[in-house]
Amino acid sequence: MSLLTIKDLTVVIDNQAQTPIVKNVSLRVEAGEIVGLVGASGSGKTTTGYSVLGLLDPALAVRAGEIIFKGKNLLRCQEDYLRKVRGGQISMIFQEPLNAFNPVFSIGYQIDEMLQFHSDMNSEQRHKRTLELLDLVGLPEPQRVVKNYPHQLSGGMRQRAMIAQAIAANPALIIADEPTSSLDVTLQARIIELFQKIRKELGLSFLLITHDLGMVGHLCDRTAVMCQGEIVETGETTKIIDEPQHEYTKRLLGALKV
Amino acid sequence: MTNPATHSLSEFQIAMRTFRKNRLAMLCVMILGALYFSAIFAGFLSPYSFKSERREHSYAPPTRIHFVDESGEFGWPFVYGIKLSFDEYYKRIYQEDRSVKYPVQLFNHGDEYKFLGLVPMNIHLWGVEEGGAVYLLGADNRGRDLLSRILWGGRVSLSIGLIGVAISFSIGLIFGGISGYYGGWIDNVLMRVAEMVMMVPGFYLLLALRAAVPPEFSSVQVYIAIVVILSFIGWAGLARIIRGMCLSLREREFVLAAKSIGLSDFSIIIRHILPHTLSYSIFAVMLSIPGYILGESALSLLGLGIEDPYSSWGLLLADAMSIVKIRFYPWILIPAFFIFLTIISFNVIGDALRDALDPMMKAEGQRS
């Protein structure tokens, strides 16, 4: 059984009959696997990611489909259970960590918060664990970073801190929404290395939402290509990059090679 | 961190640094500190209790404290006795009775009171021995020391502001937070309720609510009732502003991020949204405390608040409502000076905090 299975997911705006934002999307993530979800802006890939955690904007609604995580359909679960899943089982990495961290609290406080909700460690243990996490994601001087505020870190450090927060409660799956789009190319490579390291050491699965086919090629085992709310092609990453079947995938790859 | 330029100051600490540079505001902090200190230790600092009266000293003028005696020698301060006589219109005339001398005593034993409201004590910081009387700021119609009554009255007048603000701001923050975070019909309902409270002119609402309080209430119950009434009127304006701030804050990505780590809506409001309204709330608190103090004073002035023999600044001023009394006994206006000082101080501190906490305003100030 897969870790996460999305079956025929359809998301619409305000329950109106217009063209759905996400149309009959099916996707599966196995334990320990990195799956890429590629597409242009507005193709519905982020919406798909958000619907897994029930974080959709109130104006959007899931019309049909199932999201099965560890044998439970998340769309039918109570809010209480979903809260345990969020962060505890599935955590999220956002595109711009500067916005995703609360600017008025220190990095340490915000990682600590994750542990507060998803573990029963006391404050001393949580502090120790926070330092370990910051060290694990390769931040120099964790003692100092713990006390820093988000705006005091550089973009790359912030994204590492965000990853530290995401893995804090030992989740089974991380949904990364364009995790490197706001970083420059060298930093992107470092973050990709970090993802590989985390996968190897912690055995996590990733659902990587991106428009960067280069990153997908480096990282993902399987890839799904989304276009206008639909998955147009899915399969092994190498296969998709070497022998794209769909017209849209070819255009995407063509754009990369220019 | 030896280097002060190290990035370890939070926004709040930076604001406090700016605040401390404002001399006028720091002076007001000290004034308020002194006033609150004297209110807390009113029993010890005042020579008499708020209810010890000597009818024969009705409206005795402020007592002079002498340092030089008849022989012209400079020494320990003392007061003369008070001699009462009547003129041809039976007006009371108080004169110093030079035949008796009462030295000022430190730590003398006088009226019983409870130190900090707990420990029974009768030691006062200063006073004169039995038989003599010292009225530094004069006496009221029943011959009670005005200074003592002002210090005791400060307990009511000064605490009502703090407690009232604490209650109404808790209500305002929660109301505004919930309203702004959820939006939709919840927002509609909560804001219409707030508007209904705001719609009625404050002072008449105050009077109406006071009228609803049973007349047989004890003074403590009246005090609590006044606090609750004042808070009930005060929360609505704040709730509206907090709601507006939350409406924009909830769109920020960190709210989504907080949700994605499994926080409940309530935790998100309390832990992630309301802290962003803190800088506004802090100076709004400071600027609204005077309203509570004035509200209590107004009620007591009209005889609807604290009642004799208990004391509050508004109640003390009630005595000064007749022009004749002010003409003959001008010292009964002194409580007004204390109200004035307190309110000015809170306003100056509130303004200074606003300047310190709002970086946008600061930037504007530098540009102009």
Side-chain angles (χ1 to χ4, degrees):
Chain A
M1 191 185 63
S2 314
L3 182 67
L4 174 77
T5 314
I6 301 177
K7 245 189 246 165
D8 298 327
L9 183 76
T10 302
V11 179
V12 292
I13 301 177
D14 274 339
N15 262 330
Q16 285 162 7
Q18 307 161 341
T19 327
I21 296 179
V22 173
K23 216 185 306 173
N24 291 329
V25 163
S26 296
L27 195 71
R28 138 182 93 74
V29 182
E30 307 288 342
E33 193 182 33
I34 300 187
V35 175
L37 188 56
V38 198
S41 324
S43 60
K45 53 194 195 314
T46 300
T47 307
T48 307
Y50 281 3
S51 31
V52 172
L53 282 177
L55 296 176
L56 286 180
D57 189 280
L60 302 179
V62 175
R63 163 83 66 75
E66 285 179 343
I67 295 172
I68 297 163
F69 176 76
K70 289 193 172 170
K72 274 200 168 177
N73 186 350
L74 294 182
L75 294 175
R76 287 177 194 282
C77 282
Q78 294 293 316
E79 186 67 16
D80 282 355
Y81 180 76
L82 274 182
R83 280 212 301 273
K84 290 260 180 302
V85 171
R86 290 179 194 141
Q89 299 282 335
I90 306 178
S91 56
M92 188 107 198
I93 294 172
F94 290 88
Q95 175 171 1
E96 180 41 88
L98 184 58
N99 298 335
F101 276 123
N102 193 331
V104 302
F105 296 115
S106 65
I107 297 287
Y109 176 88
Q110 296 186 59
I111 296 176
D112 189 81
E113 197 172 33
M114 180 75 126
L115 293 169
Q116 254 178 54
F117 279 81
H118 295 291
S119 74
D120 28 64
M121 293 187 233
N122 62 29
S123 68
E124 211 171 298
Q125 290 168 317
R126 289 202 306 266
H127 182 72
K128 224 180 109 202
R129 172 94 173 118
T130 304
L131 292 177
E132 280 170 16
L133 285 163
L134 290 176
D135 191 52
L136 179 74
V137 297
L139 279 168
E141 295 183 77
Q143 298 280 4
R144 189 173 62 85
V145 175
V146 157
K147 289 187 208 126
N148 278 160
Y149 288 86
H151 68 272
Q152 291 169 335
L153 300 182
S154 69
M157 289 169 85
R158 270 199 291 271
Q159 193 56 280
R160 281 171 193 267
M162 183 99 233
I163 294 167
Q165 188 195 36
I167 60 174
N170 292 320
L173 172 70
I174 289 181
I175 299 176
D177 182 11
E178 310 245 5
T180 58
S181 301
S182 62
L183 304 173
D184 66 46
V185 186
T186 45
L187 281 173
Q188 281 182 9
R190 307 283 295 279
I191 295 289
I192 289 174
E193 280 167 25
L194 178 60
F195 277 159
Q196 278 164 336
K197 178 182 160 196
I198 288 171
R199 196 244 301 244
K200 211 159 64 189
E201 286 181 15
L202 305 174
L204 285 172
S205 308
F206 281 88
L207 176 60
L208 189 66
I209 299 167
T210 182
H211 57 247
D212 182 356
L213 276 171
M215 182 172 177
V216 168
H218 278 108
L219 209 52
C220 298
D221 305 311
R222 282 187 307 110
T223 301
V225 182
M226 256 184 117
C227 174
Q228 296 188 339
E230 283 177 286
I231 289 191
V232 293
E233 189 167 359
T234 173
E236 304 284 322
T237 307
T238 42
K239 219 172 149 197
I240 283 194
I241 287 178
D242 294 341
E243 317 158 16
Q245 301 294 312
H246 194 272
E247 198 52 40
Y248 179 72
T249 318
K250 284 177 194 161
R251 284 203 342 247
L252 265 184
L253 283 165
L256 187 70
K257 275 161 196 157
V258 168
Chain B
M1 298 274 168
T2 45
N3 179 7
T6 315
H7 303 287
S8 58
L9 289 174
S10 68
E11 273 180 60
F12 188 71
Q13 285 166 313
I14 294 168
M16 282 303 104
R17 216 191 241 181
T18 321
F19 177 74
R20 266 187 232 108
K21 281 187 196 140
N22 188 331
R23 292 225 184 129
L24 185 62
M26 285 315 286
L27 177 73
C28 288
V29 168
M30 279 184 258
I31 291 173
L32 279 187
L35 285 172
Y36 275 94
F37 178 84
S38 61
I40 291 168
F41 298 102
F44 178 67
L45 293 174
S46 58
Y48 297 103
S49 118
F50 59 92
K51 55 184 172 188
S52 80
E53 52 185 62
R54 290 173 76 173
R55 298 276 172 111
E56 72 272 22
H57 289 165
S58 174
Y59 291 121
T63 316
R64 268 190 69 187
I65 291 181
H66 296 266
F67 291 90
V68 181
D69 59 13
E70 308 90 88
S71 55
E73 260 177 71
F74 185 84
W76 185 252
F78 63 91
V79 296
Y80 288 115
I82 295 173
K83 196 166 68 186
L84 171 64
S85 59
F86 294 91
D87 67 5
E88 68 266 41
Y89 306 111
Y90 290 99
K91 185 178 170 292
R92 287 158 175 265
I93 290 169
Y94 291 100
Q95 279 166 328
E96 286 182 335
D97 180 2
R98 299 244 165 189
S99 60
V100 268
K101 261 172 60 174
Y102 301 99
V104 171
Q105 293 175 321
L106 290 181
F107 303 106
N108 72 330
H109 294 264
D111 297 321
E112 284 280 346
Y113 64 93
K114 284 203 173 114
F115 186 70
L116 297 177
L118 297 169
V119 195
M121 245 173 78
N122 65 355
I123 298 170
H124 294 257
L125 177 63
W126 65 287
V128 294
E129 65 186 40
E130 281 289 316
V134 56
Y135 306 117
L136 208 58
L137 300 178
D140 68 359
N141 61 339
R142 294 211 228 161
R144 293 174 294 198
D145 178 33
L146 196 58
L147 175 68
S148 304
R149 282 182 68 72
I150 287 173
L151 293 181
W152 279 97
R155 293 190 147 189
V156 171
S157 297
L158 292 171
S159 65
I160 241 165
L162 295 187
I163 299 173
V165 144
I167 296 175
S168 74
F169 268 69
S170 317
I171 303 175
L173 283 173
I174 304 261
F175 249 72
I178 291 174
S179 198
Y181 180 75
Y182 287 107
W185 68 269
I186 298 176
D187 180 31
N188 259 324
V189 171
L190 293 184
M191 282 305 108
R192 295 304 87 77
V193 172
E195 274 155 20
M196 269 176 337
V197 175
M198 290 167 82
M199 195 170 67
V200 185
F203 195 70
Y204 298 101
L205 186 58
L206 193 64
L207 292 181
L209 287 170
R210 179 64 180 90
V213 174
E216 66 273 12
F217 265 24
S218 77
S219 59
V220 176
Q221 285 169 316
V222 168
Y223 172 83
I224 293 167
I226 293 173
V227 173
V228 171
I229 291 169
L230 287 169
S231 327
F232 181 75
I233 296 171
W235 63 270
L238 180 85
R240 279 196 70 88
I241 293 169
I242 296 296
R243 172 221 174 230
M245 297 173 94
C246 292
L247 272 178
S248 84
L249 284 168
R250 69 165 180 181
E251 303 298 332
R252 303 268 295 269
E253 207 179 35
F254 62 78
V255 173
L256 189 68
K259 212 174 168 188
S260 84
I261 69 167
L263 265 60
S264 64
D265 288 345
F266 190 71
S267 315
I268 292 176
I269 293 173
I270 300 283
R271 299 169 69 115
H272 285 271
I273 293 187
L274 289 182
H276 282 260
T277 65
L278 188 71
S279 56
Y280 170 77
S281 308
I282 286 176
F283 71 74
V285 159
M286 281 295 164
L287 292 176
S288 63
I289 288 176
Y292 292 84
I293 296 175
L294 285 176
E296 182 275 325
S297 299
L299 275 183
S300 299
L301 185 80
L302 295 176
L304 296 169
I306 305 297
E307 279 159 35
D308 247 343
Y310 296 94
S311 164
S312 91
W313 292 347
L315 180 66
L316 293 175
L317 269 187
D319 204 23
M321 282 213 285
S322 120
I323 190 76
V324 181
K325 284 183 182 169
I326 296 175
R327 165 71 183 77
F328 290 115
Y329 325 116
W331 55 89
I332 58 177
L333 268 179
I334 291 173
F337 172 73
F338 280 82
I339 296 179
F340 171 78
L341 205 61
T342 310
I343 284 165
I344 285 284
S345 299
F346 272 116
N347 280 323
V348 169
I349 293 171
D351 271 346
L353 278 176
R354 175 166 46 197
D355 292 346
L357 285 168
D358 196 334
M360 286 189 7
M361 272 185 199
K362 229 185 315 180
E364 273 166 30
Q366 278 162 1
R367 244 180 280 138
S368 59

